[in-house]
Amino acid sequence: MAMQAHPVPEVRVLDAAENAVPLLLGELREVVARNARPLVSFATGGTFAAFFRSLDAELRSGQIDGSGFVGTHLDEYIAFEPNRRGGMVHELTLRCPALRDMLARGSFLPVPCHGAEGSLRAHEERLARAGGIKLQFLGIGRNGHVAFNEPGASFEAGFHVTELAETTRADAAPTFVPDEPPRRAVTSGIGTILDADRVVLCAFGRGKAEAVKAMLQADVSHSCPASALRSHPNALVLLDPEAASSLDAAADVAS
């Protein structure tokens, strides 16, 4: 059943996906400047690969102080410990080795990968003790998922175990060859995501165009979990021209 629509987030269409990198670094610098050791939650996946390369360089050069914030992330495959190939923490620290150093120091908080209810609630308490998420980076799946909140997901849930949609598994498959991609994962719920002070979502490429349109211009609905972001008062969506190609021309979008 469709929910009542809300005003869309701020939307910017960039000339190219790589132009998002300085904006994302700027978001991180700003939250660090405004808060004492803010909690920053990262999204994984190819959308943020260029950002993580640049972030690693800035952390290693000291242009961004790694001791100035606490890191975490959105989700993890069931039974994928931080050093297991293909897992979210493993992939994240491959792209940004400086985050591995934060993990070793205890200033990066990994999502518990075994899915026990007690561990999920304990993780939520750790995030709360760290001050709550001040900045949440997000991607969007081809089916409109955010984190691993697949179509039909609750808009109120916290961290929970979920079954992965076949489109999600297909997109992840190249990482796991010759093995099958995982079927289950622990994910931050949409309720947790919406509790973040600031949300920045990136979507690049024509393959994301229909999901972006559903997120921004269709009804707010559980069929497109990302559409829940339209209720967030401080959200930014960064698109390249291909990801924005299905949006109505009359949309309130900045270039």
Side-chain angles (χ1 to χ4, degrees):
M1 180 177 178
M3 298 177 63
Q4 183 178 359
H6 296 81
V8 297
E10 178 186 359
V11 180
R12 299 183 199 172
V13 180
L14 311 175
D15 291 338
E18 57 265 27
N19 293 349
V21 171
L23 298 177
L24 298 174
L25 292 172
E27 292 280 345
L28 180 55
R29 290 193 191 95
E30 184 174 350
V31 76
V32 170
R34 289 186 175 183
N35 300 272
R37 296 197 79 217
L39 180 59
V40 178
S41 180
F42 296 100
T44 50
T47 296
F48 287 90
F51 165 68
F52 284 126
R53 288 193 296 270
S54 295
L55 176 60
D56 187 65
E58 299 234 346
L59 288 169
R60 294 195 176 281
S61 68
Q63 295 182 67
I64 294 177
D65 182 4
S67 67
F69 68 96
V70 177
T72 190
H73 62 121
L74 282 165
D75 42 38
E76 187 57 272
Y77 298 115
I78 289 289
F80 277 69
E81 299 284 355
N83 61 352
R84 183 173 174 182
R85 182 184 72 87
M88 295 302 183
V89 174
H90 182 263
E91 296 300 300
L92 187 60
T93 56
L94 275 181
R95 290 175 173 148
C96 185
L99 292 179
R100 186 182 302 126
D101 300 337
M102 291 179 62
L103 179 65
R105 294 196 303 268
S107 57
F108 185 92
L109 310 179
V111 172
C113 67
H114 293 290
E117 184 68 16
S119 71
L120 301 187
R121 302 293 77 81
H123 183 65
E124 290 178 336
E125 290 171 7
R126 290 177 76 192
L127 301 185
R129 287 197 302 272
I133 295 168
K134 300 300 182 187
L135 174 61
Q136 175 67 70
F137 293 112
L138 289 175
I140 182 173
R142 289 186 294 130
N143 63 0
H145 76 221
V146 285
F148 281 138
N149 294 283
E150 304 285 14
S154 166
F155 285 177
E156 290 77 41
F159 276 86
H160 62 282
V161 176
T162 187
E163 299 288 330
L164 301 178
E166 287 306 309
T167 53
T168 301
R169 297 183 68 239
D171 288 343
T175 301
F176 296 95
V177 171
D179 299 323
E180 285 288 310
R183 296 185 179 277
R184 301 170 73 229
V186 173
T187 186
S188 175
I190 292 174
T192 302
I193 291 168
L194 293 178
D195 280 342
D197 287 2
R198 171 74 163 167
V199 172
V200 180
L201 182 146
C202 294
F204 307 131
R206 191 168 298 277
K208 301 293 178 73
E210 291 307 313
V212 166
K213 181 177 177 62
M215 172 178 65
L216 295 175
Q217 294 184 337
D219 290 339
V220 175
S221 169
H222 296 282
S223 65
C224 178
S227 66
L229 296 179
R230 281 154 62 186
S231 68
H232 197 284
N234 189 19
L236 170 65
V237 174
L238 300 177
L239 308 172
D240 69 358
E242 288 191 336
S245 61
S246 293
L247 293 177
D248 294 340
D252 184 13
V253 172
S255 299

